[in-house]
Amino acid sequence: MKKLMTAAAVMAMFAAPAFAAGDAEAGKAKSAVCAACHGADGISTMDIYPNLAGQKAAYLVSQLKAFKAGERNNPIMAPMAMPLSDQDMEDLAAYYAGL
Amino acid sequence: MKKLMTAAAVMAMFAAPAFAAGDAEAGKAKSAVCAACHGADGISTMDIYPNLAGQKAAYLVSQLKAFKAGERNNPIMAPMAMPLSDQDMEDLAAYYAGL
């Protein structure tokens, strides 16, 4: 019984996580629209917009979700986040976190 | 008349700006409480908290003001921002932007 539980625990570790990991290459392709304000390399072109390069991936995902849900109010970011799927957000976050 | 206007324009350029510039050294002294989540060097200790090192100063100030005003809702940051003066915010922003 103990072995069975261990096996089940090991299998659970390899099961799909609660959210899919981001794909930085896919994120790069999706980042074109972000570049206007956040810079082609994730370094913002204006002092009022945040740099995204090297930012924590989980933080980036949480903020994109907050913009989409209207929990973080921002008239520029709300329509940007609206069409993004969870996977899009993970991909973008993986891309910017890796810069 | 043209010379007078030019002189006035030049004087206006040297007048006090709309907000005081931040003092990074003063900001460093005020940053101790921030370090628990955002890291001693502005690199966050946890993936859910943002890095602040190298972030745009004006963006940092705008977000601290938004937390204080309740325009950006965050149960952790609201009480952190509440006691900060505009000068404190400028100092902290100057410190983190320079890391």
Side-chain angles (χ1 to χ4, degrees):
Chain A
M1 184 63 187
K2 197 172 173 189
K3 267 188 188 165
L4 193 65
M5 286 176 68
T6 305
V10 169
M11 283 170 70
M13 281 168 58
F14 288 93
F19 59 87
D23 175 338
E25 273 305 304
K28 184 177 183 178
K30 294 168 187 170
S31 73
V33 70
C34 317
C37 291
H38 295 289
D41 52 358
I43 302 299
S44 171
T45 53
M46 289 183 67
D47 198 35
I48 55 164
Y49 300 129
N51 297 329
L52 301 181
Q55 189 53 276
K56 302 285 186 189
Y59 174 73
L60 292 175
V61 169
S62 73
Q63 296 311 299
L64 284 172
K65 288 187 177 179
F67 286 128
K68 183 172 181 174
E71 292 162 6
R72 184 173 172 186
N73 270 310
N74 187 289
I76 300 174
M77 281 306 301
M80 297 290 178
M82 207 61 74
L84 299 178
S85 68
D86 284 3
Q87 187 63 55
D88 292 337
M89 294 177 185
E90 296 289 344
D91 294 347
L92 286 165
Y95 170 60
Y96 282 113
L99 289 180
Chain B
M1 184 61 186
K2 197 172 174 189
K3 269 190 187 162
L4 193 66
M5 285 177 70
T6 305
V10 169
M11 284 172 69
M13 282 168 57
F14 288 93
F19 59 88
D23 175 338
E25 272 305 304
K28 183 177 183 177
K30 294 168 187 170
S31 73
V33 71
C34 317
C37 292
H38 295 288
D41 52 359
I43 302 297
S44 172
T45 52
M46 290 181 68
D47 198 36
I48 55 164
Y49 300 130
N51 298 329
L52 301 182
Q55 191 51 278
K56 303 284 185 189
Y59 174 73
L60 292 174
V61 169
S62 72
Q63 297 311 299
L64 284 171
K65 288 187 177 178
F67 286 129
K68 183 172 181 173
E71 292 162 7
R72 184 174 170 183
N73 271 310
N74 187 289
I76 300 173
M77 280 305 301
M80 297 290 178
M82 208 59 75
L84 299 178
S85 68
D86 284 2
Q87 186 63 55
D88 291 337
M89 294 178 185
E90 295 289 343
D91 294 348
L92 286 165
Y95 170 59
Y96 282 113
L99 289 181

